[in-house]
Amino acid sequence: MSTLLEKTAIQEKLWAFLLKQPCPFPEIVRPSTRGKKLIARECFSEPKETYFLELGSGWGEVALELAEKNPQTGFLLWEKKLDRIRTTEKFRKKLQLSNIRYLSVNFLWFFEEIWEKEQFQTILINFPDPWPKKKHWKNRIMQPQFLDVILNWLRPGGRLLFATDHAPYARKTIKLFRNYPSLRYSDSEFSFSRPGFPPSRFETEKKEEGKRIYYLERIKS
């Protein structure tokens, strides 16, 4: 009981801290109060046809290219490092894109309390930390509890995209996906290419180093 109470108290403090933080620019979205979850279409001045969520968007190079090509899709970029969001915002302004918004919080703190269910047509997770040592595997983002929440946000027929350059992590994630009957793949459980999809800065660097990239795509039934 004491552990649960401590966790609740910490969460309350985190929320109080979050709600007091000023937004550096209006494209950053946050819940107005605890308990009021975000709705993707309300994050934009004009509703979009579909919505795309990227977890850990880095400097935004993937989303910027996709947003320019897909003006009727709303892109929500979840990135805890504000300096990276500032960089993305600089290029968003230059390209005059109105279909990008940001969420600048640590999603591991507030993960289950942010979005209403079935918001997104696509969720992208690009190159999360693989935590290669076995004793650190518990820190990997791809865990059953995490995936449960992700699937709750994804619309039926929506896509979950995952990429890593760490083969053991790819294998573990494939095994995890197999435990979810609602997730299906089209042709194969993984691929070494993702045609027509813009590469991230990290992805380009790894390919230049000769690293093999594992791409996983699943569709929610």
Side-chain angles (χ1 to χ4, degrees):
M1 180 65 71
S2 59
T3 302
L4 178 60
L5 291 174
E6 288 172 4
K7 183 178 179 181
T8 301
I10 291 172
Q11 200 71 0
E12 291 288 348
K13 289 180 180 179
L14 290 173
W15 269 101
F17 175 78
L18 170 65
L19 296 174
K20 289 179 181 177
Q21 293 303 300
C23 288
F25 35 86
E27 285 73 21
I28 290 180
V29 297
R30 288 175 183 163
S32 56
T33 59
R34 186 174 184 182
K36 181 176 173 55
K37 294 185 178 182
L38 292 173
I39 298 174
R41 69 176 181 274
E42 295 179 355
C43 296
F44 298 86
S45 56
E46 296 181 359
K48 305 299 179 183
E49 293 176 1
T50 59
Y51 297 93
F52 182 113
L53 175 66
E54 182 174 5
L55 293 174
S57 57
W59 289 270
E61 58 272 25
V62 174
L64 286 165
E65 185 171 337
L66 289 173
E68 189 173 19
K69 293 178 179 177
N70 301 277
Q72 291 307 312
T73 296
F75 290 82
L76 279 301
L77 312 188
W78 199 334
E79 172 57 55
K80 66 180 181 180
K81 295 185 178 179
L82 192 55
D83 61 326
R84 295 182 179 182
I85 289 181
R86 291 185 189 278
T87 298
T88 307
E89 176 62 5
K90 179 178 69 175
F91 287 103
R92 185 201 66 80
K93 285 183 176 179
K94 184 177 180 180
L95 294 168
Q96 298 183 338
L97 300 175
S98 62
N99 58 334
I100 288 180
R101 296 292 184 270
Y102 313 98
L103 193 60
S104 177
V105 298
N106 187 324
F107 56 76
L108 294 180
W109 291 352
F110 309 101
F111 200 59
E112 298 182 31
E113 302 179 69
I114 294 292
W115 295 108
E116 288 287 356
K117 66 179 182 179
E118 297 183 358
Q119 295 285 302
F120 301 102
Q121 188 64 31
T122 305
I123 296 178
L124 172 65
I125 305 169
N126 250 356
F127 304 96
D129 193 330
W131 293 97
K133 294 182 180 180
K134 189 172 182 178
K135 64 181 180 179
H136 295 148
W137 285 359
K138 65 181 182 296
N139 296 322
R140 288 176 173 174
I141 195 171
M142 273 302 182
Q143 306 283 354
Q145 300 90 331
F146 174 88
L147 193 52
D148 288 340
V149 177
I150 287 292
L151 292 182
N152 192 43
W153 294 344
L154 200 61
R155 296 173 57 186
R159 299 187 304 158
L160 174 59
L161 306 178
F162 175 85
T164 182
D165 64 320
H166 191 257
Y169 197 8
R171 290 194 292 269
K172 283 284 186 181
T173 303
I174 289 171
K175 290 180 180 178
L176 176 61
F177 286 169
R178 287 173 181 168
N179 294 328
Y180 288 77
S182 63
L183 289 179
R184 56 184 176 84
Y185 57 88
S186 297
D187 300 317
S188 61
E189 290 191 287
F190 70 95
S191 175
F192 292 128
S193 63
R194 191 155 61 184
F197 202 88
S200 68
R201 180 189 304 182
F202 179 87
E203 183 176 354
T204 300
E205 291 174 355
K206 291 301 177 181
K207 285 184 175 179
E208 289 175 352
E209 294 172 6
K211 293 288 185 67
R212 177 173 284 178
I213 310 297
Y214 299 83
Y215 302 99
L216 282 62
E217 178 175 342
R218 296 294 184 273
I219 300 171
K220 178 183 175 182
S221 58

